[in-house]
Structure formats: structure tokens, C-alpha cells
Amino acid sequence: MKLLRVGTAGAERPALLDRDGTLRDLTGIVTDIDGDLLADASALARVRAAADAPGVLPALDPAGLRVGPPLGRIGKIVCIGLNYHDHAAETGAAIPAEPILFFKAPDTVVGPEDTVLVPRGSRKTDWEVELAVVIGRTARYLDSAEDGLAHVAGYATAHDVSEREFQIERGGTWDKGKNCETFNPLGPWLVTADEVPDPQALPLRLWVNGELKQNGTTADQIFPVGEVVRYLSHFMTLYPGDVINTGTPAGVAMGQPDPKPYLKAGDVVELEVEGLGRQRQELKGA
């Protein structure tokens, strides 16, 4: 299923994109697309049954209708740094022996076509297309990567916007360059795991002002999705509705020759993970 949330910011309602590409209203079936829904097999079964039954779900007119983040009430966003071989190579970093972790606050999440704000004083705002993993079952001390995949509810396209000066040159942790407002566009859809048979076979692409900058595949991940979920479960409990941003392939501004083409107000970024939908953001000053 392709689940999404539509409407004005803070007042989104649940919806579904059916097999024919028609937007359908889910408000008569569920209250929201969130961790509670993803953890409830019977509720998901009702959604599937309604989606397969002709005439049950009312059609929505998408014209002028904002698409919000596909997941509400996000618990935590755990991010994996330097998780692609080619990205580590372009930045001159050693291949990490274990996953590098940092966090993004849930309030960084915006819709896939919402404005991204360049922070005040920023000189190095950068782009990163990523595969986002959404947890559907509580994960604690998992034994295997297969177990890790079994705890995934679905996948989405994510944009891990980053301010490199804040992240790297201002001391402390990476978090200060990752948590500026609007720095995690998510969506348009949450695609349930049954529709993604192999999360390690997904092309990712990103364009800036129409120029292709990133063109990678999740096959290049150093730590694949199942292993990432297993690993994280030994350091923290993962709950339904938690999100994992799994890293970005090569092609970020930081990895390009000087003068590096960092983002500025007026730029347009477009990105996609194949099968998970496309984003488009116009940048403005904060």
C-alpha cells in the first residue's frame, strides 16, 4: 500500500494512493497514519480490505491539495552517517567499522514539497537523498538482520538536509548541522514493506536546479537495512513510528571540487527513491 497524509500543516488527514493512482480518503477507516496504526495488524487489514473493495473509499481531488509527511506522531529519527561506500570515498572518510549514529528531531520533518529554509548565517547547506525506514514492531536486542527486516513497516523517500559548517566546523556533535527547521522533508508516501521486496535494490537520485547530482543505489550501502535495525536495537528500543534515515550516496556538495555548490535561497531540489515517490523543494532564507 501507498499511505499518505494530505491537508494543511498540522491538520493532515490519512489517505491512500490506490493501484490505479487515485487518491482515496481513509478518514472513515483510521484516524491517522502513525505508529499505532502500523503496529495494529487488524487495522492495517481493514485498510487493505477497503482499498481492494470498489467504492468503499471516497476519491479525493488532488488539485491544490498539499501532501504532508506520510507519518504522524514520529517518535524519533535515527540517522546513519557515511553508510555508502561511494559517499565515504568522495569525502575522504574511512569506511566505518560500525554504523555512525546521529539524531534528527521529529519537528524537522515537513512534507515532500514544502519549502526548505536555508538557516541564517549558513554558508554550506547541503543535500542528501536517503531511504527512510519506518518501524512497525517494537525492536529490542534483535538477533539477526532478518529479524531487523521483519520489524520494518515500510519505506519512504527522505531528504536529509545538512549544514556542513554547523555539522563539522562548529565543534561538538553532528546534530547542530542536522536539526535546523525544515531539514527533513519526508514522503510523499509510506510504502508498506510488502511492496519493497528488496530494500537493497533501490535507485536514489537527486537534482539541483535540474542538474543530476546524486545517482546511486541502496546496493552500495555499507550496513544494509536489516543490519541497521538489528544494530540499533542493541543501543535503543525502536518503537512503531520511529524513523531511520539510512544514509546517502555520493554526489553531495561537500564532496565536489571547490568552489562547492552549496544550496542557497532560490534553488530547487528534486529527489526520488525509485518506487517510493518524488519530492520537490524550493529553498528560501530562514
Side-chain angles (χ1 to χ4, degrees), residues 10-273:
E12 296 93 346
R13 63 184 188 271
L16 176 145
L17 195 69
D18 71 14
R19 299 181 191 278
D20 297 324
T22 301
L23 188 63
R24 301 284 179 181
D25 190 356
L26 284 179
T27 54
I29 307 293
V30 297
T31 58
D32 204 355
I33 310 298
D34 57 15
D36 288 345
L37 172 65
L38 300 178
D40 188 338
S42 61
L44 286 172
R46 289 195 301 273
V47 173
R48 291 183 190 278
D52 291 337
V56 171
L57 298 176
L60 292 170
D61 182 359
L65 188 60
R66 171 183 174 269
V67 176
L71 185 66
R73 298 197 302 163
I74 295 170
K76 55 183 172 283
I77 304 171
V78 191
C79 306
I80 310 300
L82 293 173
N83 196 31
Y84 283 71
H85 290 92
D86 60 1
H87 176 51
E90 75 171 344
T91 60
I95 300 298
E98 297 188 39
I100 295 171
L101 309 184
F102 62 92
F103 286 85
K104 282 196 157 185
D107 63 10
T108 61
V109 172
V110 293
E113 297 196 355
D114 288 347
T115 299
V116 166
L117 298 176
V118 178
R120 295 179 185 180
S122 169
R123 299 185 303 160
K124 298 182 179 181
T125 295
D126 206 346
W127 58 80
E128 295 189 31
V129 59
E130 305 209 1
L131 170 67
V133 174
V134 180
I135 298 298
R137 296 166 50 197
T138 300
R140 298 176 65 251
Y141 299 105
L142 301 182
D143 292 326
S144 67
E146 291 75 18
D147 253 355
L149 286 178
H151 286 72
V152 174
Y155 301 92
T157 300
H159 188 185
D160 175 21
V161 189
S162 307
E163 212 299 341
R164 303 302 190 187
E165 182 181 14
F166 298 176
Q167 174 189 350
I168 298 168
E169 301 173 34
R170 298 291 295 272
T173 69
W174 285 11
D175 293 347
K176 65 178 68 173
K178 297 286 190 173
N179 281 279
C180 305
E181 58 184 333
T182 73
F183 262 28
N184 204 142
L186 188 66
W189 316 314
L190 169 59
V191 179
T192 51
D194 60 297
E195 293 197 12
V196 184
D198 184 1
Q200 304 311 136
L202 299 175
L204 310 87
R205 304 177 189 90
L206 181 145
W207 298 259
V208 178
N209 300 325
E211 181 180 349
L212 182 64
K213 296 293 190 180
Q214 291 184 275
N215 187 12
T217 169
T218 55
D220 192 49
Q221 286 186 339
I222 297 166
F223 304 102
V225 169
E227 172 58 19
V228 164
V229 177
R230 184 210 66 81
Y231 180 87
L232 291 176
S233 77
H234 287 255
F235 295 92
M236 64 194 77
T237 303
L238 299 172
Y239 295 101
D242 285 350
V243 174
I244 305 169
N245 287 347
T246 60
T248 199
V252 299
M254 181 175 64
Q256 298 188 28
D258 292 328
K260 300 181 190 299
Y262 288 113
L263 295 169
K264 60 187 182 303
D267 286 339
V268 174
V269 179
E270 298 170 276
L271 59 145
E272 65 182 5
V273 179

